[in-house]
Amino acid sequence: MAQLEIQGLQSSLFFETPEEIYTRVFRELKPRTIPPELRVEFCRFANADSFIRLKDGRLEIRISDLLAAAPAPVLEALAHILLGKLYRKPIAPMYVHRYRLYLNRRDVRRQAHLVKQIRGRKFISGPKGEHFDLEEIFESLNAAYFDGLLGRPQLGWSRGSSRSMLGHFDPSHNAIIISRIFDKKTAPALALEYVMYHEMLHLRFPVDHTGARRRVHTREFREAEKKFPQLKAAKELLKKL
Ligand SMILES: [Zn+2]
């Protein structure tokens, strides 16, 4: 059904330029306003982000060139999302779903991954901090819970001492980055070990892309996480950071 609907749309949108798509969606959202002059540009971003702004009465839309080959219904969905956000109009879930479904396609994800690898520069400090060595922590957890079989990614400390992002695994750069907040004498080693263990599980269990969904913490992931001893104590420590 969804397939049929999209095909039907595609034929009717086939001859529209991106500017025409945005103008048509604008009219739908704001029927009493004359659409402003607008320009759509595909840019070489490092990710699939897109931007819209109103400048000097003109709408400027900058879309990741990852979407340059996207079918018209996908560009139309993105137009609804961007214009809806700009003018604070409710965005129909079908457009969000259609757009996500496209980004979740295996070929699109692979392309996005490559682009991020090539264009996205990343600063990765070494594993040695002032008080902790991430390599030692990684390898002791690797031996204890992964039979030593997990390939070691790049390991680094974040630049700032972020509380909101305690750690993350970046698959495009095959890197685990740990917040600098843990690199001090008073930081509880257990909390740091737990954050590293969590990120190692991301290395072990890939993200599940089914349909338009993107499941980062899958059921296997959560089961494996429970194997960390003193999980509760570690989480309590994180709250007090
Ligand atoms: Zn996670």
Side-chain angles (χ1 to χ4, degrees):
M1 268 312 268
Q3 193 76 33
L4 275 175
E5 175 205 84
I6 288 178
Q7 273 173 5
L9 265 171
Q10 190 158 16
S11 55
S12 67
L13 297 178
F14 196 71
F15 297 108
E16 276 182 317
T17 64
E19 279 82 4
E20 285 166 344
I21 293 177
Y22 275 79
T23 304
R24 178 169 54 77
V25 172
F26 183 97
R27 285 205 179 96
E28 249 175 76
L29 292 180
K30 291 170 78 75
R32 279 187 289 257
T33 310
I34 297 168
E37 189 191 327
L38 54 83
R39 193 171 65 153
V40 180
E41 208 185 339
F42 289 94
C43 304
R44 289 171 51 87
F45 296 141
N47 51 41
D49 288 351
S50 298
F51 304 92
I52 189 167
R53 67 172 180 177
L54 191 60
K55 199 190 169 209
D56 305 327
R58 196 166 85 144
L59 272 180
E60 293 180 351
I61 298 120
R62 300 169 75 213
I63 303 176
S64 163
D65 64 353
L66 272 169
L67 295 165
V74 174
L75 291 182
E76 184 202 27
L78 181 61
H80 276 277
I81 293 167
L82 292 177
L83 287 167
K85 275 188 186 154
L86 182 66
Y87 293 109
R88 293 162 199 258
K89 301 272 184 191
I91 301 162
M94 64 177 280
Y95 296 120
V96 177
H97 183 261
R98 190 191 296 165
Y99 179 66
R100 286 207 188 128
L101 206 55
Y102 181 74
L103 284 191
N104 237 4
R105 258 168 51 171
R106 187 182 296 266
D107 57 325
V108 176
R109 278 191 284 118
R110 185 170 302 141
Q111 190 65 24
H113 179 79
L114 282 174
V115 157
K116 195 173 173 203
Q117 223 167 35
I118 295 162
R119 294 182 191 162
R121 265 192 218 110
K122 192 171 182 94
F123 161 83
I124 297 170
S125 80
K128 277 195 177 43
E130 292 199 17
H131 298 280
F132 291 100
D133 185 342
L134 297 176
E135 205 168 293
E136 279 172 19
I137 295 168
F138 180 95
E139 286 308 347
S140 78
L141 291 167
N142 197 7
Y145 305 107
F146 302 90
D147 298 316
L149 293 175
L150 220 49
R152 192 166 68 228
Q154 299 193 76
L155 297 167
W157 297 93
S158 68
R159 277 196 231 228
S161 298
S162 172
R163 272 167 210 282
S164 52
M165 178 110 90
L166 296 173
H168 77 278
F169 169 60
D170 174 349
S172 293
H173 297 93
N174 189 35
I176 288 176
I177 307 297
I178 301 290
S179 171
R180 186 77 68 179
I181 200 170
F182 290 108
D183 193 24
K184 54 188 180 196
K185 236 199 312 214
T186 52
L190 178 67
L192 169 55
E193 282 164 22
Y194 163 64
V195 171
M196 177 65 89
Y197 180 70
H198 180 98
E199 300 312 326
M200 289 168 77
L201 290 178
H202 280 304
L203 196 61
R204 170 75 182 73
F205 299 104
V207 176
D208 173 29
H209 296 90
T210 308
R213 288 264 194 107
R214 185 169 174 276
R215 237 179 247 100
V216 178
H217 300 117
T218 56
R219 201 162 44 80
E220 301 109 288
F221 183 107
R222 295 199 177 280
E223 286 305 313
E225 194 174 45
K226 288 182 194 150
K227 297 199 179 111
F228 187 78
Q230 295 178 273
L231 181 64
K232 240 179 152 176
K235 285 188 170 174
E236 282 304 313
L237 287 170
L238 290 182
K239 283 186 206 154
K240 290 180 211 139
L241 275 181

